[in-house]
Amino acid sequence: MARGATPRQPARTGRQDKVRASTVTRVGTGTHGGTGALARPGRGKASAAAPKGRQGVAGKSAPTSAPKIKSYNPVASERVMEILNRLDHLYPEVKCALTHANAWELLVATILSAQSTDVNVNRVTPELFRKYPTVEAFAALTPEQLEPDVRSTGFFRNKSRSVVGAAKKIVADFGGQVPDDMEKLLTLPGVARKTANVVLGSWFGKAVGVVVDTHVHRISRRLELTTQNDPQKIEQALMKVIPQEKWILFSHQIIWHGRKLCIARKPKCAECSLENICHAADKTWSTVEMHQNAKA
Ligand code: SF4
């Protein structure tokens, strides 16, 4: 970039809230080859002007039968399907990034991944599972004995307590087998819906819910699939708008999207094929008219 040139920055005016009740415009094929998905209107002349011949003229009353205008609905099934189709193209065969060989290892890895990265967890778990190869081996430990092995994943005292507690309960109550049932999984120490959904979806192939981690939380809001902020409410909202057969894949795709492009601080919008149907307030680049006007 030339010295002194200022990169385009997203406006922070809350503009999308101002147009929430606005009209719908079909945008043509965008820079990424979109197929005319539903998008919010520009703020320029084109979308604001009434159709020619329909405007009132001084002294004459305007026709009363104005054309019907649909409200913008970010969770309209057409828009949601467009998002899902583009995610399928971007991330066709993504899987859980946590290294694991069975349900127990996935459960442990998921517990360890809280407030950590998958890369970090994958550095720790091979040696961990070599040292303690079975759930019974973990159940025989005290949390203090496990702490040094998981220290580098952060919050190691809580995580050690959760892993050892879960192992003891699985051995005592479930015959040493990780249950494939949401209610039973939620009885394990350190296991909430996110962890349970990871195990049920990625190991057992059961679409019981949608995994809501930090990436799904952030990107679902950016894509206006929800306005909620609480993970459980986000999950409920996503379960309403996304077809159940897509719940498992959607989470994986969004998690990968969050790692590769839609990163927290500076999303790479110029490289994102969802760009022309995304109206996030913190976009870093935009082909959508309303955003360009806002940045001018
Ligand atoms: S356009 Fe930007 S903010 Fe929207 S989904 Fe893509 S990377 Fe994220």
Side-chain angles (χ1 to χ4, degrees):
M1 183 182 305
R3 185 182 275 268
T6 308
R8 287 198 289 177
Q9 294 296 317
R12 302 191 187 282
T13 57
R15 60 194 177 278
Q16 80 267 46
D17 295 329
K18 290 179 190 166
V19 295
R20 186 165 289 283
S22 212
T23 56
V24 157
T25 295
R26 273 190 179 276
V27 294
T29 304
T31 51
H32 301 289
T35 54
L38 287 175
R40 282 184 169 171
R43 294 197 301 193
K45 309 168 252 184
S47 60
K52 276 187 182 170
R54 299 245 175 188
Q55 289 164 315
V57 177
K60 293 184 182 177
S61 58
T64 51
S65 57
K68 276 195 177 175
I69 297 171
K70 276 166 74 183
S71 294
Y72 171 69
N73 177 8
V75 292
S77 60
E78 185 186 10
R79 180 173 185 271
V80 173
M81 289 315 294
E82 185 65 28
I83 290 171
L84 296 178
N85 287 339
R86 293 190 195 189
L87 286 173
D88 284 347
H89 279 104
L90 269 175
Y91 311 106
E93 286 179 16
V94 285
K95 293 194 177 108
C96 179
L98 292 168
T99 307
H100 62 280
N102 54 51
W104 167 246
E105 290 188 4
L106 180 56
L107 182 66
V108 173
T110 310
I111 291 173
L112 296 181
S113 71
Q115 310 292 324
S116 186
T117 64
D118 292 347
V119 173
N120 204 13
V121 173
N122 289 341
R123 270 194 215 114
V124 167
T125 47
E127 174 58 18
L128 186 66
F129 298 138
R130 193 197 58 73
K131 199 167 169 186
Y132 308 110
T134 62
V135 63
E136 287 80 7
F138 279 90
L141 297 172
T142 64
E144 292 72 24
Q145 285 174 305
L146 186 62
E147 285 176 5
D149 298 295
V150 299
R151 176 182 282 267
S152 64
T153 66
F155 299 93
F156 61 96
R157 289 200 178 88
N158 278 345
K159 290 178 182 178
S160 296
R161 252 198 311 277
S162 296
V163 170
V164 172
K168 287 183 189 301
K169 187 156 180 66
I170 287 170
V171 169
D173 295 353
F174 302 116
Q177 300 297 315
V178 175
D180 61 350
D181 175 274
M182 174 64 83
E183 279 185 25
K184 289 177 182 165
L185 281 168
L186 292 178
T187 66
L188 302 175
V191 175
R193 279 194 70 92
K194 187 199 90 172
T195 301
N197 274 325
V198 170
V199 174
L200 288 171
S202 292
W203 184 260
F204 294 110
K206 287 189 170 182
V208 178
V210 179
V211 174
V212 179
D213 75 339
T214 181
H215 299 296
V216 177
H217 185 139
R218 178 180 71 256
I219 298 170
S220 298
R221 286 171 55 83
R222 278 180 172 163
L223 290 172
E224 301 172 285
L225 297 176
T226 180
T227 55
Q228 299 291 343
N229 215 2
D230 170 74
Q232 289 213 18
K233 290 183 180 163
I234 292 174
E235 185 189 357
Q236 293 306 313
L238 293 175
M239 288 165 72
K240 281 194 190 120
V241 299
I242 295 168
Q244 188 171 7
E245 66 270 18
K246 285 281 189 179
W247 288 355
I248 298 171
L249 184 60
F250 172 80
S251 300
H252 292 318
Q253 290 171 327
I254 289 290
I255 290 167
W256 279 99
H257 192 51
R259 288 192 191 120
K260 285 173 158 282
L261 295 174
C262 197
I263 47 186
R265 293 215 168 178
K266 272 195 179 175
K268 299 177 181 174
C269 304
E271 299 168 39
C272 177
S273 57
L274 294 164
E275 188 280 316
N276 71 339
I277 52 170
C278 173
H279 307 283
D282 55 348
K283 279 171 77 173
T284 53
W285 186 82
S286 184
T287 58
V288 183
E289 186 186 354
M290 60 177 273
H291 300 163
Q292 289 172 339
N293 290 347
K295 289 170 196 170

